[in-house]
Amino acid sequence: MYSQEFNENVIDHFMSPRNAGTIPDADAIGSSGDPKCGDSLTLYLKIKNDRIEDIRFLVFGCVAAIATSSMTTILVKGKTLEEADQLTDEDITNALGGLPEHKLHCSVLGADALKNAIDNYYFLQTEKGAIE
Ligand code: FES
């Protein structure tokens, strides 16, 4: 039923999400939600030398929210925080091969939660005095 609306790649990430789960000792956590539909995403990052060593996610959401969350983790794993901070919802959608027009908003969760996690990380580092 979903396959008529979504391409194969989206269905694949929906059926077999990559990097799903949490990181108990995460260095940064970020979240984002869409109040209109109630979907929400939380990202957990393990960071070493300003690089994302590991990333996991928990999402409550639609097919597109699950697929874009999965793709978000793939696109930024191994990237520096500066590189990851450039990720846009359009990058995520393109990497999946596109989404139906009315589902484009779902890809915003990944980019927003990532930016929130990176902001939280920098805030915590500043609080610890690790950066000025
Ligand atoms: Fe809410 Fe997809 S319908 S994120």
Side-chain angles (χ1 to χ4, degrees):
M1 127 189 167
Y2 294 123
S3 57
Q4 291 174 349
E5 188 176 12
F6 298 104
N7 70 43
E8 270 180 32
N9 204 18
V10 174
I11 296 297
D12 180 44
H13 280 270
F14 166 62
M15 296 296 282
S16 308
R18 321 306 197 266
N19 303 307
T22 64
I23 299 176
D25 60 342
D27 297 308
I29 297 174
S31 50
S32 177
D34 185 334
K36 285 188 196 142
C37 62
D39 290 357
S40 66
L41 166 67
T42 302
L43 291 175
Y44 301 83
L45 278 64
K46 201 73 193 156
I47 298 164
K48 192 169 183 188
N49 297 327
D50 277 349
R51 194 172 288 277
I52 299 172
E53 278 203 323
D54 197 9
I55 179 168
R56 306 273 161 180
F57 75 92
L58 287 181
V59 67
F60 177 84
C62 67
V63 172
I66 294 168
T68 55
S69 299
S70 172
M71 183 53 79
T72 299
T73 65
I74 289 174
L75 290 173
V76 299
K77 196 169 182 176
K79 294 255 169 73
T80 64
L81 293 177
E82 200 176 332
E83 291 166 341
D85 204 30
Q86 307 299 315
L87 188 79
T88 66
D89 48 322
E90 197 177 353
D91 295 331
I92 299 165
T93 303
N94 289 341
L96 282 168
L99 286 170
E101 187 73 27
H102 69 285
K103 284 291 177 182
L104 286 174
H105 71 95
C106 309
S107 63
V108 173
L109 288 181
D112 276 1
L114 183 65
K115 284 186 192 337
N116 182 237
I118 292 171
D119 286 349
N120 288 342
Y121 177 74
Y122 284 135
F123 177 77
L124 283 174
Q125 293 303 302
T126 305
E127 288 284 294
K128 287 182 195 168
I131 55 175
E132 293 177 12

